[in-house]
Amino acid sequence: MTKKLGIADYPLAETQPEKVIGARGLALPDVTLAAVIKGDVTMEDLRITPQALRAQADIAQAANRGTLAQNFERAAELVNVPQDFIMATYELLRPGRAKSKDALLEAARILRETYHATDMATYVEEAAEVYERRGLFTFRF
Amino acid sequence: MSTTPNRWKRFADWDERPLRLDKFAVEDAANGFAAFTSPADPKPGIGINASRVISLDGVLEHEFDMIDLFIARHHIDPDIAPEAMAIPSSTLARMLVDMHVPRQELVRLAHGLTPAKLAETVSQLNALEIAFAYQKMRARKIPGNQAHVTNAKDDPLQLAADAATAVGFGFDEIETTMRVSRNAWSNALACAVGGAVGRWGTLFQCSSEEAEELRIGMAGFTSYAETVSVYGTEKTFIDGDDTPWSKGFLAAAYASRGIKMRCTSGAGSELLMGFHESKSLLYLEARCLCLQRAMGVQGTQNGGIDGAPVTATVPGGVRELMAENLIAVWLDLECASGNDARTTESEIRLGAKIWPYLVGGSDLICSGFGSILKYDNSFNPSLFNGEEMEDYLVLQRDFEADGGLTPISESTALDLRARAIEALSAVQEELGLATPTADMKQSVVVASGSDDTRSFSPRETSVMSEKIKSQGITVVDVIKALAKRGFADEAENLLSVVRLRLSGDYLQTAALVRGGKVLSAINNPNDYLGPGSGYRLSPERREEIVNIRDVLDQKEVLRSEAMHEKEEAKRIRYARVKQADVSQDSKDVVIGISPGFGLKLFQTTAGHRLSDVLLELVTAISARGLTPRIVRFNHTADTSFLGLSAAGLSGSGVGIGIQAKGTAIIHQRGRLPHNNLELFSNAPITKLVHYRGMGANAAAYALGEMPEPIIVPQHGEAMGSRYHARTAMIYAIETALTSESAVPEEIAIEFLGRRA
């Protein structure tokens, strides 16, 4: 899925099911009940991929939904970020959890350097800046 | 001395109405009780410098709170804002209701509109205009609906059965939550299995603590989330323990797990949480909705939600709920349009609340229609609940409107429930979670609510739930268990829902699954441009909607009459004697019967045998020493003319006219047709004692007396709604038997098997 997709490509599961490929290489038409029963399908094969999210971002953009497209782009960056780190970052973004800007900037650095989640990192950095301005680093409980 | 209180008793009557349980609040903008406008609301405005928003609704950039800031950076399109903000809000308001202005154009402009401008614009529309604009602006063409599936015991067997019935009724989404939070995993598994019975495609969410909800989603049990709340003031947001950035992060996290998500916001939340800044409900909501578009979520659960009841206490509050939904769809968000919290105890207010959504459609008309009984709703009672499901189905039929639901038969419902319970039991056994007994299962199959069940206790469910979580059971394990135990269809259905997340098609705006295909604002966009466009009922869909249970047709009426024919043959015999003439005997009173009386029709609408009715009349007339004569008229079936014709043949000049359905009249020769002596128009509540009184009074008039008229007491029954369908069909049977030139027949009647 290299070329930009448009509205006519939607839904991908109908227009190009063979190109919808899971994390371990299993294509959509191969995810069958028989394969599940044989044990050939795991939860890993049922996860969305960054490629699929970027394809959906293209489609959203083509439908003039820029902010939705950006969310899909950020989501694509998070696909391979471990759940624990996602939950820890979410927790840090809640009011009063981080005691200073530094904790958020550190999370942003890890997102950028370890997971190549550049948009998400920028987003967390923006939060750090705003939280400082609005005094959200105060202790809450 | 009178002790009568000096009060019009009507107020005491009104005190007893359910409406008086609703409490209303005085409009008080300073304290947050103002629906559309408040002196504290800012005037719309925007400042842009080099593609950067430097002021928003009168607030300069350096004074932005975090909500202003998020909206300024992520919602406002600086290329569009100057153009859009320059359009007067009165013009924008007219564009919203102008069917020639396409939705896309208004959506494009919304990218450059500030919260105050959006609020100022929709404020200018009256309720009907809001409803019309909503119909035009909502994102997806085909309307949908969502159900709550919960119960007071967190009983998984009942959840599975109720999920299956909800799917059977056609809900596109089902949402569960728990009484006991650790039961989340069991609830999720039960609804996932129940929701896979019958067809595939119903999306499912398990509303629980944020981190837990995401984990349950990752285990594959759920397919969407909607309890990510946002608020319109900074302090409320912080008290809600989040910020726009934390919620926006969560939005990306859900999408990264292939789970559909919408946010939640609604009027009144800031008021309930104490930080309303004296702003109007609508303005605060406009901020929430701009935030949601800014975060990049595809949709919103919007329209009061938990704050709907308090919003409905304010003047214009219900109109405000409609207005905020309109802003949501104008901002191109999928709208699960509230209609969930029970805003009133008045069924009239309730029906009025749902009407615009039912008729105009919505992406999800209710963001939780209580498919279960009120007491089983763990979210609190919904606007509509299991109790009122059929009222809703009939509203669809009345207005030929697609409310997203389809009537199902009793046997279908029972089959779905039994199947779901067997499927879940099999999974529980296979996974070593529990072994439900036959008695448990049977009690749930037939249960209307959890009071009727003998099933798992909340504690037993907790043990199960902990096991599901600690053993890392996923939807793949459940699919395998279903397949192993012979539930191949359910296994396939459940797999199909989980497979949705591979392509992510259902993450697009307003996506649902119909007939195995994803439909969203991308491939099923609302294209309303006036009559004949937008969503229309297909003939097939109309057929589904009108097909409610227990409808009458003429065949059914005749079948029911035929059952009584044999009975009546044993009680009375009618014999035609000759053509009836005018009598000279001043002692006779003619009883004029209708063409089908005792021939095709055998009971009154009150259910009295016609033989019994005639016996009462004859006995009462005879008791005064007069002679009752029975005459059948075939030229008319109308009560007035039956009565007047009877009086015309009567020697006393007084006659009774009676139709087979029991409607009767006492008439007198020489009067105008509709100026009778006494009319008995409410046949369904006319008892035998009234027919006896009618005979007695007819006799009294014949003797020149002036009796007390017989009053058939009625208690405000909706006589028309109860009886008119049957009455019209019966009457049609009678009128079909008339012929204009037919002569009256003198009838000899004989009461059989008893003493007359």
Side-chain angles (χ1 to χ4, degrees), chain B residues 439-564:
Chain B
D439 178 62
M440 286 164 75
K441 294 191 246 184
Q442 183 53 27
S443 79
V444 176
V445 170
V446 297
S448 182
S450 60
D451 282 354
D452 306 336
T453 62
R454 299 176 300 276
S455 186
F456 294 108
S457 73
R459 190 189 166 279
E460 289 168 326
T461 298
S462 293
V463 172
M464 243 187 289
S465 194
E466 303 270 326
K467 261 193 196 171
I468 298 166
K469 182 179 179 179
S470 65
Q471 292 178 7
I473 290 170
T474 70
V475 75
V476 172
D477 303 313
V478 174
I479 294 168
K480 284 181 182 167
L482 282 168
K484 186 175 169 196
R485 293 286 291 265
F487 293 91
D489 289 347
E490 287 74 12
E492 187 79 50
N493 288 347
L494 190 49
L495 177 63
S496 297
V497 175
V498 190
R499 269 162 48 114
L500 285 172
R501 45 177 85 180
L502 265 177
S503 68
D505 290 321
Y506 81 138
L507 303 178
Q508 293 288 354
T509 302
L512 48 67
V513 181
R514 286 281 176 91
K517 295 194 182 301
V518 174
L519 294 179
S520 73
I522 303 283
N523 61 345
N524 186 237
N526 183 9
D527 55 1
Y528 185 84
L529 282 172
S533 66
Y535 179 71
R536 302 281 147 174
L537 279 187
S538 65
E540 298 75 31
R541 179 62 183 143
R542 184 180 180 280
E543 185 58 30
E544 287 181 351
I545 283 173
V546 302
N547 194 16
I548 59 170
R549 71 183 172 121
D550 284 350
V551 292
L552 272 180
D553 59 12
Q554 203 177 52
K555 265 190 221 147
E556 174 57 37
V557 170
L558 285 172
R559 201 164 25 242
S560 132
E561 290 298 329
M563 280 167 48
H564 296 282

Side-chain angles (χ1 to χ4, degrees), chain B residues 343-518:
Chain B
T343 46
T344 176
E345 294 285 1
S346 156
E347 294 202 330
I348 292 175
R349 293 185 80 201
L350 188 157
K353 171 81 179 76
I354 200 69
W355 190 82
Y357 298 89
L358 179 75
V359 172
S362 185
D363 295 321
L364 294 145
I365 291 173
C366 300
S367 49
F369 185 119
S371 72
I372 60 305
L373 296 180
K374 289 192 195 82
Y375 71 79
D376 267 336
N377 197 326
S378 304
F379 294 99
N380 282 331
S382 192
L383 192 69
F384 277 77
N385 300 280
E387 287 91 336
E388 298 103 12
M389 176 83 87
E390 289 204 308
D391 298 63
Y392 188 88
L393 296 175
V394 171
L395 284 175
Q396 292 191 133
R397 185 175 185 268
D398 286 345
F399 294 99
E400 298 179 291
D402 191 341
L405 304 193
T406 304
I408 57 175
S409 70
E410 289 199 32
S411 61
T412 303
L414 215 51
D415 290 348
L416 289 169
R417 297 180 68 79
R419 180 80 182 171
I421 289 166
E422 288 305 330
L424 180 65
S425 301
V427 169
Q428 289 176 332
E429 286 168 16
E430 278 301 309
L431 299 177
L433 299 170
T435 310
T437 66
D439 178 62
M440 286 164 75
K441 294 191 246 184
Q442 183 53 27
S443 79
V444 176
V445 170
V446 297
S448 182
S450 60
D451 282 354
D452 306 336
T453 62
R454 299 176 300 276
S455 186
F456 294 108
S457 73
R459 190 189 166 279
E460 289 168 326
T461 298
S462 293
V463 172
M464 243 187 289
S465 194
E466 303 270 326
K467 261 193 196 171
I468 298 166
K469 182 179 179 179
S470 65
Q471 292 178 7
I473 290 170
T474 70
V475 75
V476 172
D477 303 313
V478 174
I479 294 168
K480 284 181 182 167
L482 282 168
K484 186 175 169 196
R485 293 286 291 265
F487 293 91
D489 289 347
E490 287 74 12
E492 187 79 50
N493 288 347
L494 190 49
L495 177 63
S496 297
V497 175
V498 190
R499 269 162 48 114
L500 285 172
R501 45 177 85 180
L502 265 177
S503 68
D505 290 321
Y506 81 138
L507 303 178
Q508 293 288 354
T509 302
L512 48 67
V513 181
R514 286 281 176 91
K517 295 194 182 301
V518 174

